Amino acid sequence: MTAELASIIDFIRYGASRFSEAGLTFGHSHDNPIDEATHLVLASLHLPPDIPPAYGAGKLTQAERERVLTLIERRVAERLPVAYLVGETWFAGMKFKSDRRALVPRSPIAELIESGFQPWLDHRNVESALDLCTGSGCIGIAMAEYNPGWQVDIVDISDDALSLARENIAFQHVEGRVEAVKSDLFDALHGRQYDLIVSNPPYVTEDEYAALPGEYSHEPKLGLTSGEDGLDICLRILDEAADYLTEDGLLIVEVGESEHALAALLPEVPFVWIEFKVGQMGIFALERRDLIEHAAAIHAAALARRA
């Protein structure tokens, strides 16, 4: 039956049908089988995601047909995320290398980067920024690309993730403005301060991780889980961040579904939960002065995790 497939559109339609039939989970940059199939087909053909519609009628060579069909079947059989199959994905309008060394980029923080972090950075002079728990480096590298005047540090504890992040630094030609640093959160950053700290740390609970679909098993667990309620790493960030922020510095952290647990744990802390185009996505903004004002409560909560 696949012998009848000829054009790019044919293979996208076929891939989407196979993915739907197989009951795949879509959570790695895409939320539906058509976008997932489009990513797979176009990337495997070395084409950008925004090619004109007329190209959809283009015919595949025999070698291209075999390559695309093989990837479609691997996506179904192995439950591998498409980004890992094709070795690339898109974040904030930029292409990044992607493989099993780090999570597939998919944070809604991309929307903040594309909008210039407005209104959160209104009347702030940002010269230095930090991407904490950087993984593939996508957040920090995108911040540097969208803000040429910023110096950006990207930090991770994983050697594998940092090796991929450094490849992406070179891939995006931002070597002069982005530095990759191995650090357990802030431990290797003594003496450095930032006007903006952004973090998408691990925040999946152990129960949530156990229930995740097979696609997520291919990603490093280190980048996903953070204790019983998903807040172990977030609390460490809250406890230590003030020392690494400038006087008017801002902290932005993604905690996903752990938002409710965090608000209940620290009800007195004035987290501002950011609204995105699709609503709240479990991402808060917090001023340095608020971190200092509520330091005692934050420290107590963080210390309880280490006991």
Side-chain angles (χ1 to χ4, degrees):
M1 292 176 62
T2 57
E4 301 173 14
L5 304 175
S7 68
I8 291 174
I9 287 295
D10 287 344
F11 281 89
I12 290 174
R13 198 282 308 157
Y14 175 75
S17 295
R18 287 286 291 124
F19 297 165
S20 295
E21 179 187 34
L24 300 185
T25 294
F26 310 108
H28 295 87
S29 303
H30 308 297
D31 61 5
N32 65 82
I34 295 176
D35 288 345
E36 185 101 344
T38 300
H39 181 183
L40 184 150
V41 172
L42 292 182
S44 67
L45 297 175
H46 310 291
L47 294 171
D50 57 350
I51 61 169
Y55 282 84
K59 302 296 192 295
L60 276 64
T61 66
Q62 183 60 33
E64 290 172 337
R65 287 167 47 84
E66 293 174 358
R67 182 166 68 248
V68 170
L69 288 171
T70 296
L71 290 176
I72 289 172
E73 293 311 311
R74 287 190 65 196
R75 176 70 182 92
V76 171
E78 302 175 37
R79 294 308 203 255
L80 274 165
V82 166
Y84 289 173
L85 284 169
V86 299
E88 67 181 47
T89 194
W90 292 77
F91 179 84
M94 301 169 60
K95 185 165 75 171
F96 288 90
K97 296 183 178 182
S98 181
D99 59 39
R100 296 192 197 205
R101 287 175 287 176
L103 302 187
V104 176
R106 53 183 178 272
S107 173
I109 289 172
E111 184 179 318
L112 291 178
I113 296 171
E114 291 172 320
S115 68
F117 289 94
Q118 299 304 318
W120 312 103
L121 295 186
D122 283 353
H123 313 300
R124 296 178 197 266
N125 178 35
V126 176
E127 297 180 355
S128 60
L130 171 65
D131 171 14
L132 201 59
C133 305
T134 190
S136 65
C138 60
I139 290 175
I141 293 169
M143 288 197 298
E145 181 67 20
Y146 278 76
N147 302 277
W150 293 9
Q151 288 294 133
V152 181
D153 288 344
I154 62 175
V155 168
D156 208 287
I157 194 173
S158 165
D159 288 319
D160 284 344
L162 285 172
S163 67
L164 178 59
R166 290 189 176 103
E167 289 178 19
N168 277 318
I169 288 173
F171 184 66
Q172 292 294 343
H173 308 293
V174 291
E175 295 94 328
R177 296 185 289 113
V178 180
E179 180 184 359
V181 181
K182 182 178 181 179
S183 181
D184 183 359
L185 298 183
F186 298 101
D187 286 356
L189 300 178
H190 295 301
R192 305 194 191 197
Q193 285 195 314
Y194 305 93
D195 304 304
L196 173 67
I197 297 175
V198 179
S199 184
N200 178 18
Y203 56 75
V204 176
T205 71
E206 292 297 334
D207 287 344
E208 288 170 343
Y209 183 77
L212 285 175
E215 281 82 355
Y216 295 87
S217 67
H218 299 284
E219 296 185 295
K221 185 180 180 183
L222 180 67
L224 288 168
T225 60
S226 185
E228 292 303 315
D229 62 359
L231 294 176
D232 287 5
I233 295 175
C234 175
L235 289 171
R236 285 185 57 198
I237 293 172
L238 288 168
D239 191 31
E240 302 171 20
D243 291 337
Y244 299 89
L245 284 166
T246 54
E247 184 175 355
D248 293 321
L250 183 70
L251 174 68
I252 294 177
V253 180
E254 179 174 345
V255 294
E257 294 297 323
S258 295
E259 168 188 343
H260 305 293
L262 180 60
L265 184 66
L266 294 169
E268 67 277 27
V269 176
F271 298 108
V272 178
W273 297 100
I274 298 174
E275 288 285 339
F276 291 83
K277 292 176 182 176
V278 295
Q280 286 191 15
M281 299 290 288
I283 297 176
F284 68 78
L286 200 59
E287 303 277 355
R288 178 180 184 269
R289 59 178 175 268
D290 293 321
L291 288 168
I292 293 173
E293 181 179 349
H294 298 280
I298 291 170
H299 183 65
L303 195 61
R305 302 302 170 103
R306 304 170 192 171

